[in-house]
Amino acid sequence: DGGITQSPKYLFRKEGQNVTLSCEQNLNHDAMYWYRQDPGQGLRLIYYSQIVNDFQKGDIAEGYSVSREKKESFPLTVTSAQKNPTAFYLCASSISGTVSHEQYFGPGTRLTVT
Amino acid sequence: KNEVEQSPQNLTAQEGEFITINCSYSVGISALHWLQQHPGGGIVSLFMLSSGKKKHGRLIATINIQEKHSSLHITASHPRDSAVYICATQLQGAQKLVFGQGTRLTINP
């Protein structure tokens, strides 16, 4: 079955700790994205990657870091510099290119930092 | 700046009713996406359209490029349609999406 997996579904951390959220896809997509969702707000783009070993900041990249060493994987690290890390994090992937393509979303990780 | 506005924010209806959710955006786009988010949080893509109308089962999506407006319709609504429906736009040459805040739909039996 092709798709995107995110793990874990729920994650709890103490303030001041870095935490890494996993995102893996087997859709052979070049482009991958990380979004953050807060109650009552639309999804906001954190980072995206159009190709392996390359990534760009989205609208709210401060306090986050990513890597894209493999096509299938795009992990997101929430650092201690992120002021309000508690949120629902969604990973997505799509075919890359100049033509619009549908994005496929993972099930999400709900991060709670106390 | 590309802004996406959805209305209504919340909608409650009885089973069987015809549902319309609206989406307006501020700049020219290459495509508009309608997404569905269930209570567990996972998001499913319903439609991607750049002109005209698309239909899938009881769901219909339309877009008016000149008016920068799209609608999502659900015919013969059912409680399992209860979810958050999200509109997102995509600019020409970009894969990034800009999202509306979502419409929470509740269908009562």
Side-chain angles (χ1 to χ4, degrees):
Chain A
D1 277 306
I4 301 179
T5 56
Q6 290 184 246
S7 59
K9 191 167 177 62
Y10 298 96
L11 191 53
F12 299 88
R13 280 294 182 269
K14 294 286 187 190
E15 197 172 316
Q17 293 179 334
N18 290 357
V19 58
T20 298
L21 281 58
S22 164
C23 177
E24 305 276 331
Q25 54 99 359
N26 61 4
L27 299 167
N28 200 34
H29 286 165
D30 283 311
M32 296 187 75
Y33 314 82
W34 273 106
Y35 297 100
R36 171 184 171 134
Q37 188 177 40
D38 294 283
Q41 293 192 40
L43 277 74
R44 292 180 291 168
L45 181 65
I46 305 172
Y47 267 99
Y48 65 104
S49 169
Q50 303 273 49
I51 199 165
V52 174
N53 292 322
D54 188 44
F55 48 83
Q56 286 81 40
K57 292 181 179 180
D59 301 317
I60 55 164
E62 186 175 345
Y64 300 98
S65 66
V66 293
S67 63
R68 186 86 188 277
E69 297 174 4
K70 297 187 299 182
K71 187 176 188 177
E72 309 81 47
S73 178
F74 191 39
L76 174 75
T77 297
V78 185
T79 74
S80 56
Q82 169 48 234
K83 299 269 189 290
N84 297 294
T86 294
F88 187 57
Y89 292 88
L90 283 152
C91 178
S93 72
S94 74
I95 297 170
S96 192
T98 55
V99 178
S100 298
H101 294 288
E102 189 176 350
Q103 287 193 13
Y104 294 80
F105 288 82
T109 293
R110 194 167 298 279
L111 173 64
T112 302
V113 176
T114 57
Chain B
K1 185 181 174 187
N2 183 20
E3 294 180 337
V4 181
E5 295 287 334
Q6 288 185 236
S7 62
Q9 288 192 27
N10 293 282
L11 179 56
T12 300
Q14 291 299 121
E15 184 173 355
E17 287 189 37
F18 182 81
I19 302 300
T20 296
I21 298 170
N22 296 299
C23 176
S24 296
Y25 53 93
S26 56
V27 302
I29 60 172
S30 66
L32 184 139
H33 300 249
W34 280 104
L35 310 166
Q36 181 190 56
Q37 185 172 31
H38 277 282
I43 291 178
V44 174
S45 177
L46 298 174
F47 295 103
M48 184 183 76
L49 65 166
S50 54
S51 65
K53 177 178 172 179
K54 286 191 175 180
K55 184 175 189 292
H56 186 252
R58 295 179 295 105
L59 272 59
I60 303 165
T62 63
I63 188 168
N64 185 317
I65 298 294
Q66 286 73 34
E67 294 186 5
K68 296 185 176 62
H69 181 269
S70 175
S71 293
L72 177 69
H73 305 286
I74 305 175
T75 63
S77 59
H78 190 275
R80 65 173 174 267
D81 297 326
S82 297
V84 175
Y85 292 84
I86 301 169
C87 167
T89 60
Q90 193 165 18
L91 298 181
Q92 191 73 35
Q95 294 299 330
K96 294 190 298 178
L97 300 180
V98 176
F99 296 82
Q101 77 275 36
T103 295
R104 184 172 300 276
L105 174 65
T106 303
I107 304 295
N108 293 318

